[in-house]
Amino acid sequence: QTRHQLLRAVLLAMKQPALSRVLSAVTDIFTESTSYSKNSHAMRHQECFALKPNTDGMMDVLRKAFLANVDDIYRLADEYSETYDINVQVKETASRGYYLSISADLVNNLPQIFIQPVKSGRFIHCTTEEVYSLNSRAQENVDDLLLMTHGRIQEVLQVARDNYDCLASLSDAIALLDMCHCFADNVASSRMTWCRPLLSDSNSDLEHEDNSCGSGAIAIRNGRYAIDITSSGTNTREGDFVPND
């Protein structure tokens, strides 16, 4: 029974009822596909659609409006390409939002419909009155969505704070289990000779020990500092180490 008390303590920490409440608070509002992205455009969509649909009616309306505005911007870019026989691409940055990108070869023949032109390398970044208006609406939708998302996230964080004790014990249990696994893996894959230390309640239980300096002592014979040995790559032949008692 006593041999498995450590594992029982780890399992007990992982089965606390409070963990289910924290997990439910997270899974009830966040979508499983939510993930971090380095692309600012993709990350903007992740933030706007991080929460599950049908949890807030106003949020669903804002999402539909945002998608409609973005679709209209791409539709206008296709119309400009067909009307003026040029390649018009839609770009997006966090600071400017959605804008149009046209080849710099048209710098002297740019149609008047394109406003706010800025030359950047081989391209001209510009917009139109319609695209500018749609971009402003999309930015407003995003701001409102992020504000509502932030409020829901704060609710989840409050649940986590209220159940901090179970999260802390879970973290300690996982760290302890990982440490034990690392010890076992190192022993199994090492050519060195390892042994498990013997612990006792009193020095009288230790064989061949003459001193008595308190209970629960550890008797180390021919001890070697394993971390230093393995990191230095020293050979394990006899005579390479100085054992310590």
Side-chain angles (χ1 to χ4, degrees):
Q1 296 292 331
T2 58
R3 293 181 58 187
H4 306 293
Q5 287 182 357
L6 183 61
L7 292 179
R8 288 195 180 93
V10 172
L11 289 175
L12 184 62
M14 294 182 176
K15 292 181 178 180
Q16 298 181 80
L19 293 175
S20 299
R21 293 194 291 269
V22 177
L23 180 61
S24 297
V26 174
T27 57
D28 286 347
I29 67 170
F30 289 105
T31 59
E32 296 180 358
S33 59
T34 302
S35 61
Y36 175 78
S37 175
K38 294 183 178 180
N39 184 283
S40 61
H41 180 65
M43 192 60 198
R44 180 63 57 86
H45 280 74
Q46 290 287 342
E47 293 172 345
C48 293
F49 296 90
L51 304 185
K52 289 183 177 180
N54 303 322
T55 57
D56 191 307
M58 180 58 67
M59 186 173 293
D60 293 338
V61 172
L62 290 173
R63 286 173 176 171
K64 291 180 181 178
F66 170 72
L67 292 176
N69 290 326
V70 174
D71 289 341
D72 288 341
I73 293 175
Y74 279 90
R75 178 182 55 80
L76 286 173
D78 294 337
E79 292 180 0
Y80 296 147
S81 298
E82 295 178 2
T83 303
Y84 300 100
D85 194 22
I86 57 177
N87 184 21
V88 181
Q89 297 180 347
V90 178
K91 301 291 184 179
E92 191 271 344
T93 61
S95 59
R96 187 172 182 177
Y98 291 92
Y99 59 92
L100 304 178
S101 178
I102 303 174
S103 175
D105 297 336
L106 301 173
V107 64
N108 297 322
N109 300 313
L110 190 66
Q112 294 183 355
I113 193 175
F114 297 104
I115 60 176
Q116 301 178 1
V118 177
K119 190 174 184 298
S120 177
R122 298 183 296 105
F123 298 94
I124 298 175
H125 296 165
C126 57
T127 184
T128 65
E129 292 184 359
E130 290 181 290
V131 171
Y132 183 84
S133 177
L134 291 171
N135 176 61
S136 298
R137 298 177 198 171
Q139 293 296 330
E140 292 176 359
N141 298 148
V142 169
D143 292 341
D144 293 339
L145 282 170
L146 293 181
L147 183 61
M148 299 179 69
T149 301
H150 176 75
R152 299 300 299 274
I153 291 176
Q154 293 304 312
E155 296 176 3
V156 176
L157 289 177
Q158 187 58 46
V159 174
R161 295 188 188 101
D162 295 339
N163 298 276
Y164 173 78
D165 291 341
C166 73
L167 294 175
S169 61
L170 175 64
S171 178
D172 292 340
I174 294 177
L176 179 60
L177 187 62
D178 180 65
M179 181 187 68
C180 294
H181 174 268
C182 290
F183 285 161
D185 183 68
N186 188 42
V187 172
S189 60
S190 175
R191 296 182 179 179
M192 300 172 55
T193 56
W194 295 78
C195 64
R196 181 172 61 87
L198 300 177
L199 306 181
S200 66
D201 293 332
S202 63
N203 283 345
S204 59
D205 296 335
L206 297 176
E207 298 179 358
H208 309 297
E209 283 292 322
D210 297 329
N211 56 47
S212 57
C213 54
S215 62
I218 303 177
I220 301 178
R221 299 185 180 88
N222 296 326
R224 297 170 178 175
Y225 195 59
I227 296 179
D228 181 64
I229 295 171
T230 55
S231 62
S232 61
T234 310
N235 199 321
T236 59
R237 293 176 303 177
E238 201 66 32
D240 290 339
F241 309 108
V242 177
N244 295 280
D245 292 337

